[in-house]
């Protein structure tokens, strides 16, 4: 089997490296030195650069102005963006756009997707529910809204539903916590549940009636928001209710977060290698000491495990290929390695840098903060191990 990336996927990664080459991780105040958010907005010049290089339209179909590439290509771009702590919602915007393209209303998709690809719209998604521990879709209720002056339940003669009295649109109530860059977004994808217990995804605008954004700040110092919805009305086409739409969007968001963990970890290990190669003790670079080399080698193994499990999960999602377990099993394995692996990588980096690693004039502490935010977003590895165990119990392997 050939596991190399296609020419198109490699070209996407190269384009991302070119656009991101001028990004400086220290371009905003340190999260360790400011009490609130490090900046009021996303990195708009970078956002425009990504759009002009067609990296925001990467996974859109040609009819929407895109290249028609898959999740693997998106993860390659996200991996590069994490190496420089790019302050843009590329993952959230592209993931929601992919869900709209695959499951959403064709008219709304035709209206929004070309603008998304051109960088004119910013999208984000709520996936944490109220606390990050319960299923996100249970935190918001979506109920059908009847036409004015009707019950929404009337029937035509013979018992059939009367189209003239059918429900129209939806009403949303609930909240989603820790929504990334919600204040900068033009649309927010909100998972919700219907009266029948179906998981759906609602697209809402932050400025519309009934939507309130309560300020939150991430561990990495970025602006997040608690999105509260009180009798928020949306029309039918703003609700993505295809079977499996939310589960698919959640899988894209999760796998993309694993790609961010991989890129960040690779940057941190490279910083550590450079530092220990220059830092001397007893007349020798500390990188030549066995204890230092062994710790660095262990973290290299972590990164390779994070990488192979990431590409396995992204490939399963992109191709829909069959396996001994559903794709959720591959995603769980990727999350286990990403959550534990990124923590071990930054901890070892701090240790091998000594006191220099905590110096706020040196960027390592920023990477540590971003890594912690990624770890919190993914959740504890033990929870994913339990989910994997449940899948193994439900799908006996030969």
């Amino acid at each position: 089997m050939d596991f190399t990336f296609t020419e198109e996927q490699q070209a996407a990664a190269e384009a991302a490296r070119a656009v991101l080459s001028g990004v400086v991780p220290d371009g905003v105040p340190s999260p360790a030195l400011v009490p609130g958010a490090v900046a009021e907005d996303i990195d708009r010049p970078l956002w425009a650069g990504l759009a002009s290089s067609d990296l925001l339209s990467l996974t859109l179909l040609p009819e929407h102005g895109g290249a028609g590439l898959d999740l693997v290509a998106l993860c390659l771009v996200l991996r590069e963006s994490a190496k420089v702590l790019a302050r843009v919602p590329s993952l959230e915007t592209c993931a929601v756009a992919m869900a709209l393209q695959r499951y959403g209303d064709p008219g709304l998709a035709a209206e929004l997707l070309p603008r998304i690809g051109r960088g004119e719209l910013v999208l984000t998604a709520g996936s944490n529910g109220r606390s990050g521990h319960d299923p996100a879709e249970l935190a918001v209720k979506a109920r059908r809204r009847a036409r004015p002056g009707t019950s929404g339940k009337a029937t035509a003669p013979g018992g059939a539903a009367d189209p003239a009295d059918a429900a129209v649109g939806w009403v949303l109530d609930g909240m989603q916590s820790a929504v990334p860059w919600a204040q900068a977004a033009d649309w927010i994808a909100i998972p919700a549940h219907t009266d029948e217990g179906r998981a759906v995804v609602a697209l809402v605008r932050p400025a519309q009636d009934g939507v309130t954004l309560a300020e939150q700040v991430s561990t990495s110092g970025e602006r997040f928001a608690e999105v509260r919805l009180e009798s928020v009305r949306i029309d039918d086409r703003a609700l993505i209710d295809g079977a499996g739409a939310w589960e698919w969007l959640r899988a894209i968001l999760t796998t993309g977060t694993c790609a961010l963990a991989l890129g960040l970890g690779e940057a941190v290990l490279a910083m550590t290698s450079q530092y220990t190669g220059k830092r001397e003790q007893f007349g020798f670079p500390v990188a030549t000491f066995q204890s230092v080399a062994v710790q660095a080698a262990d973290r290299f193994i972590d990164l390779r495990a994070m990488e192979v499990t990431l590409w396995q999960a992204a490939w399963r999602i992109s191709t829909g290929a069959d396996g001994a377990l559903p794709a959720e099993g591959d995603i769980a394995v990727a999350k286990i390695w990403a959550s534990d692996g990124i923590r071990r990588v930054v901890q070892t980096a701090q240790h091998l840098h000594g006191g220099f690693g905590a110096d706020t004039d040196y960027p390592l502490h920023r990477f540590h903060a971003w890594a912690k935010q990624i770890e919190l977003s993914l959740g504890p590895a033990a929870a994913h191990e339990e989910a994997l165990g449940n899948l193994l119990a439900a799908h006996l392997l030969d």
Side-chain angles (χ1 to χ4, degrees), residues 2-228:
D2 185 2
F3 290 101
T4 57
F5 299 115
T6 66
E7 291 184 5
E8 293 82 2
Q9 291 167 344
Q10 294 180 57
E14 291 171 3
R17 282 193 289 270
V19 173
L20 296 162
S21 61
V23 177
V24 179
D26 285 336
V28 292
S30 167
L33 300 178
V34 294
V38 296
E40 290 296 308
D41 199 6
I42 64 174
D43 188 338
R44 293 287 176 175
L46 176 57
W47 190 250
L50 292 170
S52 64
S53 299
D54 297 326
L55 292 172
L56 297 181
S57 60
L58 199 66
T59 57
L60 301 182
L61 296 174
E63 54 261 39
H64 299 308
L69 298 185
D70 59 8
L71 177 59
V72 173
L74 175 59
C75 286
L76 284 167
V77 173
L78 293 172
R79 178 191 193 179
E80 297 302 322
S81 72
K83 293 179 181 179
V84 295
L85 306 184
R87 301 181 48 261
V88 287
S90 302
L91 168 58
E92 294 81 7
T93 294
C94 292
V96 176
M98 292 168 70
L100 175 60
Q101 177 174 260
R102 183 182 178 105
Y103 294 100
D105 177 82
L108 186 62
E111 177 184 331
L112 296 184
L113 293 179
R115 296 185 63 196
I116 294 170
R118 295 193 297 267
E120 297 172 5
L121 296 176
V122 173
L123 281 67
T124 189
S127 59
N128 292 302
R130 292 182 175 275
S131 64
H133 298 292
D134 298 321
E137 66 273 17
L138 299 183
V140 177
K141 176 69 176 293
R143 67 180 189 278
R144 287 296 264 165
R145 175 165 58 92
R147 293 183 184 277
T150 69
S151 65
K153 299 180 180 179
T155 57
D162 185 352
D165 197 40
V168 55
W170 297 82
V171 178
L172 307 172
D173 287 284
M175 62 89 74
Q176 292 287 336
S177 183
V179 179
W181 289 300
Q183 296 86 345
D186 298 286
W187 291 85
I188 304 175
I190 301 290
H193 68 283
T194 67
D195 288 330
E196 298 81 20
R198 291 187 298 114
V200 296
V201 179
L203 298 178
V204 302
R205 294 183 297 276
Q208 72 185 82
D209 292 342
V211 178
T212 304
L213 304 184
E215 189 82 7
Q216 294 180 319
V217 180
S218 71
T219 302
S220 55
E222 300 298 335
R223 290 186 81 189
F224 280 24
E226 180 183 88
V227 180
R228 302 169 183 167

